[in-house]
Amino acid sequence: EAQVTQNPRYLITVTGKKLTVTCSQNMNHEYMSWYRQDPGLGLRQIYYSMNVEVTDKGDVPEGYKVSRKEKRNFPLILESPSPNQTSLYFCASRTGATNEQFFGPGTRLTVL
Amino acid sequence: KQEVTQIPAALSVPEGENLVLNCSFTDSAIYNLQWFRQDPGKGLTSLLLIQSSQREQTSGRLNASLDKSSGRSTLYIAASQPGDSATYLCAVYSGAGSYQLTFGKGTKLSVIP
């Protein structure tokens, strides 16, 4: 089944404790991205990657890092999480043919 | 910078009604427009994708239209059902090096049995 997977789905952590949210897609898509969703602000792009080893900032990159060492994986790294990073995070990948985006199930992160 | 607006923010209709959700965008230089559905606390499910060269797309009871020149899209839902209750999001893919999908804030639809 074609899909985007994220892990973990739920995470509660404390300020300053490094964490990684994994994202993987099995559709051989070159383009992947991360979004956060907050009430009243909608979905905002954090980082995106156009291919292996090619990443760039979205609208809200501060406090986040990404890497793209393999085509299928695009982890999101919070090296020193803060409470304002409490949010619902989505990973997405996109076809090259139609530019249709496919989203993962989301990761709900709480930083205390 | 592309901006996407969805009106209304919330809509409540009785079961069986036909309804229209609206989406407008400021920059008409788009590659495509995608409608999504999101259930509370869940991920986004793609409903319809309209390429910039197309005027409309249909899937079952859903019909999405696109008017690039006026910067508008509509999502028409026929014979609404309680299972249609969700938040509907419109997203515009603006190319020209942007590689960014810009989302509206959504319309929360409630279909009352």
Side-chain angles (χ1 to χ4, degrees):
Chain A
E1 179 190 356
Q3 61 183 350
V4 180
T5 57
Q6 295 179 226
N7 282 293
R9 295 290 312 282
Y10 302 90
L11 179 59
I12 300 175
T13 189
V14 295
T15 299
K17 186 176 181 182
K18 182 179 178 180
L19 66 92
T20 299
V21 183
T22 65
C23 171
S24 183
Q25 51 93 6
N26 62 2
M27 296 171 277
N28 202 36
H29 290 166
E30 292 184 345
Y31 182 93
M32 298 183 73
S33 56
W34 276 101
Y35 296 84
R36 62 177 288 174
Q37 186 178 35
D38 302 287
L41 297 176
L43 277 141
R44 295 176 292 169
Q45 191 179 56
I46 303 171
Y47 267 95
Y48 63 90
S49 169
M50 290 180 285
N51 213 327
V52 175
E53 302 292 0
V54 181
T55 64
D56 207 348
K57 298 176 181 179
D59 290 327
V60 288
E62 294 76 22
Y64 304 95
K65 284 178 58 175
V66 293
S67 70
R68 187 90 182 274
K69 292 181 169 46
E70 305 167 281
K71 199 172 189 178
R72 63 181 293 127
N73 296 323
F74 190 43
L76 179 69
I77 303 157
L78 285 72
E79 296 212 326
S80 184
S82 62
N84 65 12
Q85 293 178 298
T86 293
S87 187
L88 181 58
Y89 290 86
F90 290 102
C91 179
S93 70
R94 191 184 79 206
T95 72
T98 64
N99 294 314
E100 183 175 5
Q101 297 251 356
F102 297 87
F103 280 77
T107 295
R108 185 166 293 282
L109 172 67
T110 301
V111 183
L112 302 174
Chain B
K1 182 182 177 183
Q2 180 74 269
E3 293 182 5
V4 179
T5 303
Q6 291 186 248
I7 295 174
L11 180 63
S12 185
V13 300
E15 181 177 2
E17 268 204 10
N18 303 325
L19 60 101
V20 174
L21 307 181
N22 296 294
C23 171
S24 62
F25 47 94
T26 54
D27 185 350
S28 62
I30 65 170
Y31 279 173
N32 63 35
L33 183 145
Q34 198 167 352
W35 282 93
F36 294 89
R37 169 189 171 134
Q38 185 177 27
D39 294 287
K42 300 291 180 66
L44 279 71
T45 301
S46 179
L47 297 173
L48 288 165
L49 171 74
I50 310 178
Q51 300 294 345
S52 62
S53 59
Q54 297 174 320
R55 298 283 294 188
E56 66 178 324
Q57 283 285 337
T58 298
S59 176
R61 293 182 294 110
L62 305 179
N63 176 277
S65 69
L66 173 64
D67 185 342
K68 267 183 57 176
S69 60
S70 66
R72 294 178 188 274
S73 176
T74 62
L75 179 66
Y76 174 83
I77 302 177
S80 58
Q81 303 170 357
D84 295 331
S85 298
T87 296
Y88 290 80
L89 295 163
C90 165
V92 172
Y93 175 55
S94 303
S98 168
Y99 299 104
Q100 191 165 42
L101 196 64
T102 304
F103 282 86
K105 293 184 180 178
T107 294
K108 185 175 181 179
L109 173 65
S110 298
V111 181
I112 312 301

